[in-house]
């Protein structure tokens, strides 16, 4: 490897105008850097051999290039990764003594940290826990690898090893000489400081098979102008409000004042097994005093008590605009509206004006931004309540009103001229997709109805919540601004690639330390779950080499063992 190690403040992805350094090259500004490497990536994408690399995601050249920020992040195998490691790595010197005692720390530490919570994922290790491992085993400037990076917490941890305040928050002390000390006691019980590491960022190499994961990781690990983001995101919310605010208007119970809907609760409709008349699940099963769903409840028509399993789910025909066919979907009716008037919250049952408004919205054309991808055969289609939900395409995950809200949000974020800001706006907007889908359950015992979906599974409840974009995103906008202030002043460089870990092209002896949290058996079906977000970006995981146990794909425990062996 190159004996010259990049200094800590070289090659930082810049948010400021002026010359920038990148992998030993000088560019007039960051836009010129981006243009140069995008052209190189564009040429690579034309090569069938490059596209045949195992784990290459499904997506057009245009969509892959739009997401990518080479050489640091590509939504496909990163052809610049070898150069990245060569530039930042240092030649192995056998005369330098390396010795570390075995180390273990609580990997759940930091799960309430704002940065950790800034974007959800099926599973991840908090960056604060990872920092302890990196500080123990590495030196400043070392190259750290995470081959199953998920949302890129290892990259954040590597970066924040250069932050005095973050290291102090872990309970360590940083001396004036940049040596990091841990408080301990000597044999006599006297307090002393034990040197354990040195202050300084490490470089991260991050890989994941999922474009959704690496997109999140790239946004976590690339600097962004937080003030510009906050202003742009607020303008998007304001513009969408001006465009479709009428869809979230409701009449107050005084019959005169107009309120703004926070969320609407929709209920599946069943037929009584005894009298065959309709039962609106939420109206009969919800205990309004406790907020709990009763296990058993009487039919409002005949009085016979039963539970949901004894009832028959009703369906109704609906015209699928995207496909030009009639489909049969579960019958759902609005059962409850939570709304605000002059800052105070109220609840009511939908009135005739609310029902007429929903009919008007349902009659509107499906927005062009809504993905209509057909779902492949997958395990997630066979679990929970997915089969009775009759969901076969991505647009079936959304009721009529959320399609217009999400389309308006996505359209405006995607049209941003600044590529870095655009990706961070999409990083923000995409966090409403699960929460505005039919996967969002109504959980009345919780104070907030934001993102009340079951983690790690597609599950469509009998009672779902349809939140407004402001209800779900206003608080998220404030929290993102606060969370990313912690990283905005730190140099942030990671090399991120999207591919099968078993087939990438790094030379031996080019990594100083590995931290990774690999997939575990059939615990989580990553590619199944990620297709909901990836369909919006139009770059989809190639699941053929996914290292999990998958009965639908015929991937056994022995297959998983071999796939994991290949990766390691």
């Amino acid at each position: 490897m190159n004996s010259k190690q990049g200094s800590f403040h070289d090659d930082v992805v810049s948010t400021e105008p002026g010359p920038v350094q990148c992998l030993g090259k000088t560019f007039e500004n960051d836009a010129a850097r981006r243009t140069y490497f995008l052209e190189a990536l564009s040429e690579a994408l034309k090569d069938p051999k490059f596209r045949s690399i195992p784990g290459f995601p499904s997506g057009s050249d245009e969509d892959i290039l739009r997401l990518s920020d080479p050489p640091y992040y590509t939504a496909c195998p990163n052809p610049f990764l070898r150069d990245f490691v060569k530039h930042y790595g240092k030649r192995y010197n056998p005369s330098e003594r390396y010795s570390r005692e075995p180390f273990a720390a609580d990997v759940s530490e930091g799960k309430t940290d704002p940065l950790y919570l800034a974007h959800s994922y099926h599973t991840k290790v908090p960056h604060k826990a990872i920092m302890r491992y990196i500080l123990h085993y590495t030196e400043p400037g070392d190259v750290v690898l995470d081959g199953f990076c998920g949302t890129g917490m290892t990259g954040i941890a590597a970066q924040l090893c250069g932050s005095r305040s973050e290291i102090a928050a872990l309970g360590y002390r940083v001396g004036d000489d940049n040596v990091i000390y841990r408080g301990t006691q000597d044999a006599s019980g006297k307090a002393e400081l034990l040197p354990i590491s040195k202050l300084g960022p490490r470089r991260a190499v991050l890989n994941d098979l999922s474009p959704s994961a690496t997109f999140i990781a790239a946004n976590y690990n690339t600097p962004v102008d937080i003030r510009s983001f906050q202003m742009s995101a607020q303008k998007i919310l304001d513009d969408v409000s001006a465009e479709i605010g009428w869809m979230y208007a409701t009449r107050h119970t005084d019959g005169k004042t107009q309120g703004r809907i926070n969320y609407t609760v929709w209920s599946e409709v069943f037929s009584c097994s005894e009298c065959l008349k309709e039962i609106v699940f939420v109206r009969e099963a919800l205990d309004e005093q406790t907020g709990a769903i009763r296990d058993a409840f009487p039919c409002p028509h005949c009085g016979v008590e039963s539970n949901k399993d004894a009832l028959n789910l009703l369906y109704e025909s609906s015209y699928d605009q995207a496909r030009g066919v009639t489909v049969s979907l579960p019958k759902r009716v609005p059962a409850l509206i939570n709304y605000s008037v002059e800052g105070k919250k109220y609840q009511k049952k939908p009135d005739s004006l609310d029902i007429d408004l929903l009919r008007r919205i349902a009659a509107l054309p499906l927005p062009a931004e809504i993905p209509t991808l057909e779902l492949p055969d997958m395990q997630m289609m066979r679990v929970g309540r997915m089969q009775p939900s009759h969901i076969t395409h991505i647009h079936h995950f959304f009721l009529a009103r959320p399609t217009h809200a999400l389309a308006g949000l996505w359209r405006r974020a995607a049209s941003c001229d600044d590529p870095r800001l655009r990706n961070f706006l999409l990083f923000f907007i995409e966090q409403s997709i699960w929460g505005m889908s039919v996967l969002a359950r109504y959980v009345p015992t919780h104070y907030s109805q934001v993102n009340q979906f079951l983690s790690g599974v597609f599950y469509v409840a009998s009672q779902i919540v349809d939140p407004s974009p402001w209800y779900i995103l206003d608080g998220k906008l404030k929290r993102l601004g606060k969370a990313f202030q912690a990283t905005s002043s730190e140099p942030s460089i990671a090399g991120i690639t999207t591919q099968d870990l078993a087939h990438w092209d790094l030379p031996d002896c080019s990594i100083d330390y590995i931290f990774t949290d690999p997939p575990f058996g059939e615990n989580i079906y990553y590619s199944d779950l990620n297709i909901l977000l990836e369909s919006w970006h139009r770059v989809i995981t190639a699941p053929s080499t996914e290292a999990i146990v998958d009965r639908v794909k015929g991937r056994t425990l022995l297959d998983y063992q071999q796939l994991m062996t290949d990766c390691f």
Side-chain angles (χ1 to χ4, degrees):
M1 290 184 59
N2 196 339
S3 60
K4 181 179 181 295
Q5 180 183 345
S7 67
F8 298 147
H9 298 284
D10 288 343
D11 292 18
V12 175
V13 179
S14 176
T15 59
E16 301 294 332
V20 296
Q21 297 287 323
C22 182
L23 303 190
K25 299 180 184 294
T26 303
F27 298 92
E28 181 181 356
N29 50 43
D30 200 50
R33 181 272 307 171
R34 186 189 302 271
T35 298
Y36 174 86
F37 284 102
L38 279 174
E39 288 176 353
L41 179 59
S42 179
E43 286 301 311
L45 287 169
K46 296 174 184 176
D47 183 357
K49 184 178 179 181
F50 177 61
R51 273 192 164 270
S52 67
I53 294 174
F56 200 105
S58 172
S60 69
D61 290 6
E62 179 183 6
D63 290 325
I64 290 172
L65 290 168
R66 176 176 42 79
L67 284 182
S68 300
D69 184 17
Y72 305 115
Y73 157 58
T74 58
C76 65
N78 191 333
F80 314 103
L81 204 58
R82 180 181 282 263
D83 293 335
F84 179 92
V85 173
K86 183 178 180 181
H87 179 75
Y88 284 114
K90 55 182 180 290
R91 187 184 300 277
Y92 171 64
N93 184 352
S95 66
E96 291 183 2
R97 183 175 178 271
Y98 178 86
S99 177
R100 297 291 192 278
E101 293 294 321
F103 178 77
D106 178 9
V107 293
S108 67
E109 178 185 8
K111 284 196 171 184
T112 60
D113 185 87
L115 197 58
Y116 173 84
L117 297 172
H119 199 299
S120 61
Y121 197 63
H122 322 299
T123 180
K124 55 183 174 179
V125 176
H127 65 278
K128 285 189 173 181
I130 304 172
M131 283 178 68
R132 294 188 185 276
Y133 285 88
I134 294 177
L135 288 170
H136 180 81
Y137 285 110
T138 70
E139 297 290 335
D142 280 355
V143 178
V144 178
L145 163 68
D146 189 343
F148 301 96
C149 74
T151 59
M153 292 295 100
T154 298
I156 288 288
Q159 174 197 156
L160 293 181
C161 286
S163 168
R164 286 179 176 268
S165 60
E166 291 292 321
I167 290 173
L170 296 177
Y172 298 135
R173 182 178 297 180
V174 184
D176 294 337
D177 55 357
N178 289 339
V179 174
I180 299 172
Y181 297 89
R182 174 174 61 85
T184 186
Q185 293 181 337
D186 62 17
S188 65
K190 183 180 178 181
E192 65 176 358
L193 293 176
L194 180 68
I196 62 164
S197 190
K198 293 180 182 177
L199 178 71
R202 282 65 166 167
R203 305 299 182 185
V205 174
L206 308 174
N207 172 76
D208 204 280
L209 189 67
S210 164
S212 178
T214 57
F215 176 76
I216 299 170
N219 279 284
Y220 260 119
N221 285 277
T222 309
V224 66
D225 186 326
I226 290 297
R227 187 169 183 274
S228 293
F229 158 69
Q230 290 175 312
M231 293 174 61
S232 299
Q234 187 60 59
K235 186 176 188 308
I236 288 174
L237 292 174
D238 293 343
D239 288 350
V240 170
S241 177
E243 179 188 11
I244 64 165
W246 61 272
M247 295 186 183
Y248 292 90
T250 188
R251 184 176 57 185
H252 189 27
T253 51
D254 64 7
K256 297 177 295 182
T257 312
Q258 180 170 283
R260 189 182 212 187
I261 294 174
N262 298 314
Y263 59 83
T264 301
V265 178
W266 290 75
S267 174
E268 287 183 336
V269 180
F270 294 82
S271 66
C272 175
S273 57
E274 190 70 24
C275 69
L276 303 183
K277 291 184 178 180
E278 291 189 357
I279 298 176
V280 178
F281 180 74
V282 169
R283 291 177 189 163
E284 309 307 326
L286 176 63
D287 185 328
E288 295 184 0
Q289 298 299 317
T290 65
I293 298 295
R294 300 185 185 97
D295 291 331
F297 47 88
C299 170
H301 308 289
C302 67
V304 172
E305 187 170 274
S306 60
N307 57 39
K308 187 172 70 173
D309 292 339
L311 303 176
N312 299 309
L313 179 60
L314 296 180
Y315 292 84
E316 59 185 359
S317 295
S318 175
Y319 182 68
D320 187 334
Q321 296 182 33
R323 300 163 58 215
V325 298
T326 299
V327 295
S328 176
L329 298 175
K331 183 175 182 179
R332 296 187 180 97
V333 297
L336 178 70
I337 294 177
N338 180 289
Y339 65 101
S340 294
V341 175
E342 297 180 351
K344 188 174 181 180
K345 292 182 179 179
Y346 300 88
Q347 287 197 163
K348 70 170 192 176
K349 293 181 180 178
D351 58 32
S352 60
L353 292 178
D354 296 314
I355 301 301
D356 288 342
L357 177 65
L358 291 169
R359 289 196 185 107
R360 284 175 55 200
I361 297 170
L364 295 174
L366 184 71
E369 291 78 13
I370 303 300
T372 58
L373 177 72
E374 182 177 9
L375 293 167
D377 190 17
M378 59 170 70
Q379 180 65 20
M380 282 300 101
M381 297 298 292
R382 306 187 185 191
V383 299
R385 285 173 41 80
M386 280 299 288
Q387 287 183 318
S389 73
H390 286 195
I391 291 175
T392 60
H393 292 69
I394 292 291
H395 59 287
H396 294 162
F397 279 102
F398 307 100
L399 301 180
R401 182 163 51 191
T403 64
H404 295 279
L406 286 169
L409 293 166
W410 196 266
R411 183 188 319 122
R412 287 167 173 81
S415 65
C416 178
D417 293 332
D418 182 328
R420 175 67 197 107
L421 181 57
R422 179 188 65 220
N423 273 7
F424 203 77
L425 288 169
L426 292 174
F427 170 85
F428 166 60
I429 297 300
E430 74 172 20
Q431 298 190 62
S432 63
I433 290 175
W434 274 71
M436 295 182 75
S437 74
V438 297
L439 300 172
R441 306 165 298 151
Y442 175 51
V443 188
T445 53
H446 290 195
Y447 171 75
S448 171
Q449 298 305 313
V450 173
N451 291 340
Q452 296 294 345
F453 50 82
L454 287 176
S455 179
V457 68
F458 284 163
Y459 179 86
V460 182
S462 291
Q463 68 284 355
I464 62 175
V465 63
D466 167 18
S468 76
W470 311 282
Y471 180 80
I472 201 169
L473 288 175
D474 277 349
K476 173 61 72 173
L477 176 55
K478 295 174 184 176
R479 291 190 294 274
L480 276 181
K482 180 181 178 182
F484 279 84
Q485 291 294 345
T487 62
S488 61
S489 62
E490 303 297 330
S492 175
I493 289 295
I496 304 174
T497 183
T498 311
Q499 63 186 100
D500 176 14
L501 176 60
H503 293 88
W504 64 348
D505 187 34
L506 285 188
D508 291 343
C509 302
S510 61
I511 298 294
D512 295 298
Y513 176 66
I514 297 171
F515 183 96
T516 197
D517 178 27
F520 180 68
E522 57 179 334
N523 189 35
I524 298 174
Y525 291 77
Y526 297 92
S527 63
D528 288 11
L529 297 166
N530 287 336
I531 198 170
L532 184 54
L533 293 187
E534 290 174 354
S535 63
W536 287 78
H537 293 292
R538 301 192 297 272
V539 182
I540 313 294
T541 299
S544 59
T545 58
E546 186 176 19
I548 63 171
V549 176
D550 191 327
R551 286 168 286 177
V552 172
K553 296 181 177 66
R555 198 166 298 151
T556 66
L557 180 60
L558 290 177
D559 295 321
Y560 166 73
Q561 181 182 19
Q562 184 60 56
L563 288 163
M564 289 302 301
T565 300
D566 293 343
C567 289
F568 281 122

